[in-house]
Amino acid sequence: TQNTTTSIVMPLLRASHFARNRFETQTKTQEHNTKREQSCKMGKLRIGLLGAAGISSKSAIAISYEESECVVTAIGSRSQEKAKKFVEDCPGLDLSTTKIFGGPNAYIELIQESSPDCCCDALYIPLPVAVKKEWVIQALKNGKHVVLEKPAALTAKDYEEMLSVAYVNGKFLLDGTMFPHHGRMGNILDRVAAADDFGSVDRIQCSFTFLADEAFLNGSNIRARKDGDPHGCIGDLGWYCIRFGLMVYERLGFSVTSVKVVDFEVNQHGVPIDATCVVRFDGGKVLWFHCGFKTPLRQLFEICGSKKSIKMDDLVLPRENPSSFELTSSTLTANDLVTIHDTEKVDCSNNPPHEVLLWKTFQSIARRLDAAPTGASDWKGDTTESTLEANKWGTMSLLNQKVIDALMKSIAEDGSEVKIGG
């Protein structure tokens, strides 16, 4: 007997289809313009997109949800036509409500835009990691909050510099890792922290891969090029595995101590396209993960407790609503003849999706920072709620980047163990 189930899931588009329909007539466009103006007055964060690359569409769609508390109001692209087509094609956007900055100076013009009716409060910067630092710093210095795509920077030192500029200018810098903002992750952390029920956690295992074609592997895509994202699969896919492990072990009070890439492959440009990595924490705790562009799509995440385990296979790209995870316990008895399995499926609402919840978090902290009495002053070390929360996200991203740096050093040293301190 063979049972086959095929599903095509695009959770962000479920609501965006009707969002698109709102723009079909001039009357509806005018209504939308009025609604958008009212939304901005009520505290919605106005977002400018720096670049018209395909990756920006996912964020633009997420921002179009009412629950995001944000609204796309501008886009900058070196090609006016590309920016126009992006807006026309993207559900939730409309040319009459999205200001276009086009041409060779589009990025800087959008970043420095400061007219009395300034079109944006924050920028989404999905530029390649090799070039993003200067644009992030320029945006922060010009009074814009920033969401940037992962990996956060070329090096942890670069990201520390970006964070310092954010601190000095009273702005929020957030990396675009989405799953930490979902209630499912909070539920998972609560479960593993309940030691009496879950037991002690000594091992986390993750695999995040997808199958790329030869052109991609040889550098047609920026994720496989030195002048694009030189961390390759480690920065693109391993980033999520690292964040997952860091969040779990941090909740349990353990700190990362070292990393080692035990097996890897690089392409002709020296960019990792497949890697198996071990990240060690104090107390003998381990995160093991495989990431790469040479294996069909897998997003397998498992936390191994001494009494139970948590498993899921859709952490980064959830397939369904509700999102879920499995809480399992298995026992081998009777001379290995009998196995006893107990599985609980834990459902967590995926409405709105975690892409939307990231923007909701961003808006909340950014607006509170804007309203802080210190204004644009150095708030690093401040103890107000908004600054503590902003520091929390910045610190976790920085640690994520430090692990990426150490893994790249391990590859450069042919798989050596690299210590991580502080």
Side-chain angles (χ1 to χ4, degrees), residues 36 45-49 59-60 63 70-74 93 97-98:
R36 177 165 293 202
L45 204 66
R46 299 168 302 170
I47 309 297
L49 309 176
S59 284
I63 293 168
C70 298
V71 58
V72 174
T73 53
L93 299 189
T97 57
T98 306

Side-chain angles (χ1 to χ4, degrees), residues 28-44:
K28 289 185 178 181
T29 297
Q30 291 171 348
E31 292 173 352
H32 180 69
N33 292 348
T34 302
K35 184 177 180 181
R36 177 165 293 202
E37 290 170 3
Q38 292 172 342
S39 295
C40 292
K41 290 178 182 178
M42 291 178 355
K44 284 209 169 192

Side-chain angles (χ1 to χ4, degrees), residues 214-264:
E214 284 300 314
F216 181 114
L217 296 176
N218 290 323
S220 68
N221 189 283
I222 62 169
R223 288 173 283 183
R225 292 208 312 261
K226 283 278 190 184
D227 62 349
D229 291 347
H231 308 104
C233 64
I234 289 180
D236 185 43
L237 305 174
W239 178 275
Y240 295 99
C241 302
I242 295 164
R243 177 63 61 88
F244 184 73
L246 289 175
M247 291 184 72
V248 173
Y249 282 131
E250 180 191 55
R251 178 63 178 268
L252 299 175
F254 300 102
S255 300
V256 62
T257 58
S258 69
V259 308
K260 181 180 176 69
V261 182
V262 297
D263 187 56
F264 63 91

Side-chain angles (χ1 to χ4, degrees), residues 78-98:
R78 293 189 172 100
S79 167
Q80 181 92 10
E81 286 305 309
K82 185 176 181 181
K84 181 180 177 182
K85 183 170 179 16
F86 179 95
V87 174
E88 289 175 333
D89 292 346
C90 186
L93 299 189
D94 186 77
L95 288 172
S96 68
T97 57
T98 306

Side-chain angles (χ1 to χ4, degrees), residues 40-41 44 46 84 103 114 141 143 158 224 279 329 342 404:
C40 292
K41 290 178 182 178
K44 284 209 169 192
R46 299 168 302 170
K84 181 180 177 182
S114 59
K141 286 182 175 179
D158 282 353
V279 182
S329 62
D342 183 16
I404 294 286

Side-chain angles (χ1 to χ4, degrees), residues 91-350:
L93 299 189
D94 186 77
L95 288 172
S96 68
T97 57
T98 306
K99 186 173 182 178
I100 292 178
F101 294 79
N105 298 318
Y107 289 179
I108 197 66
E109 289 173 359
L110 173 54
I111 286 172
Q112 293 182 347
E113 211 268 348
S114 59
S115 62
D117 59 342
C118 181
C119 62
C120 63
D121 311 297
L123 292 175
Y124 169 63
I125 302 181
L127 302 177
V129 68
V131 300
K132 75 172 64 169
K133 176 186 171 182
E134 64 172 301
W135 298 110
V136 170
I137 289 176
Q138 284 267 17
L140 294 168
K141 286 182 175 179
N142 279 274
K144 306 294 195 296
H145 303 282
V146 172
V147 171
L148 77 168
E149 274 302 330
K150 50 81 206 156
L154 275 176
T155 66
K157 182 179 179 182
D158 282 353
Y159 195 60
E160 282 186 289
E161 185 178 343
M162 295 181 209
L163 285 172
S164 294
V165 175
Y167 297 145
V168 169
N169 289 276
K171 296 303 168 185
F172 185 31
L173 177 61
L174 178 68
D175 85 67
T177 311
M178 295 167 287
F179 75 82
H181 302 269
H182 196 285
R184 176 167 64 171
M185 193 63 200
N187 197 325
I188 288 170
L189 294 177
D190 289 342
R191 298 284 182 142
V192 300
D196 290 345
D197 182 60
F198 195 79
S200 63
V201 177
D202 294 316
R203 186 175 185 87
I204 299 171
Q205 300 184 160
C206 311
S207 296
F208 192 16
T209 63
F210 67 82
L211 187 61
D213 59 27
E214 284 300 314
F216 181 114
L217 296 176
N218 290 323
S220 68
N221 189 283
I222 62 169
R223 288 173 283 183
R225 292 208 312 261
K226 283 278 190 184
D227 62 349
D229 291 347
H231 308 104
C233 64
I234 289 180
D236 185 43
L237 305 174
W239 178 275
Y240 295 99
C241 302
I242 295 164
R243 177 63 61 88
F244 184 73
L246 289 175
M247 291 184 72
V248 173
Y249 282 131
E250 180 191 55
R251 178 63 178 268
L252 299 175
F254 300 102
S255 300
V256 62
T257 58
S258 69
V259 308
K260 181 180 176 69
V261 182
V262 297
D263 187 56
F264 63 91
E265 180 181 351
V266 298
N267 66 8
Q268 60 187 338
H269 308 293
V271 174
I273 55 175
D274 192 84
T276 301
C277 309
V278 176
V279 182
R280 297 193 180 277
F281 295 74
D282 52 20
K285 313 299 182 181
V286 174
L287 163 65
W288 176 98
F289 72 88
H290 172 229
C291 60
F293 303 139
K294 301 188 68 177
T295 309
L297 177 63
R298 297 176 303 147
Q299 40 176 342
L300 310 174
F301 293 78
E302 181 180 20
I303 306 169
C304 305
S306 58
K307 296 180 180 179
K308 295 182 178 179
S309 295
I310 284 175
K311 300 177 182 178
M312 75 199 87
D313 60 2
D314 67 340
L315 178 71
V316 182
L317 304 168
R319 288 193 310 275
E320 57 188 20
N321 184 28
S323 297
S324 63
F325 61 90
E326 289 187 349
L327 190 65
T328 67
S329 62
S330 299
T331 306
L332 184 64
T333 62
N335 298 317
D336 298 352
L337 295 176
V338 177
T339 59
I340 301 173
H341 300 280
D342 183 16
T343 300
E344 174 189 357
K345 184 180 179 182
V346 181
D347 290 336
C348 306
S349 174
N350 194 34

Side-chain angles (χ1 to χ4, degrees), residues 365-407:
I365 298 176
R367 282 302 188 208
R368 280 181 282 156
L369 287 174
D370 286 341
T374 53
S377 62
D378 190 343
W379 50 262
K380 185 176 183 181
D382 192 355
T383 57
T384 59
E385 181 185 357
S386 57
T387 56
L388 285 174
E389 194 170 355
N391 269 313
K392 178 194 76 172
W393 289 108
T395 299
M396 180 59 74
S397 299
L398 179 59
L399 183 54
N400 211 143
Q401 186 68 51
K402 286 180 177 179
V403 175
I404 294 286
D405 289 3
L407 289 168

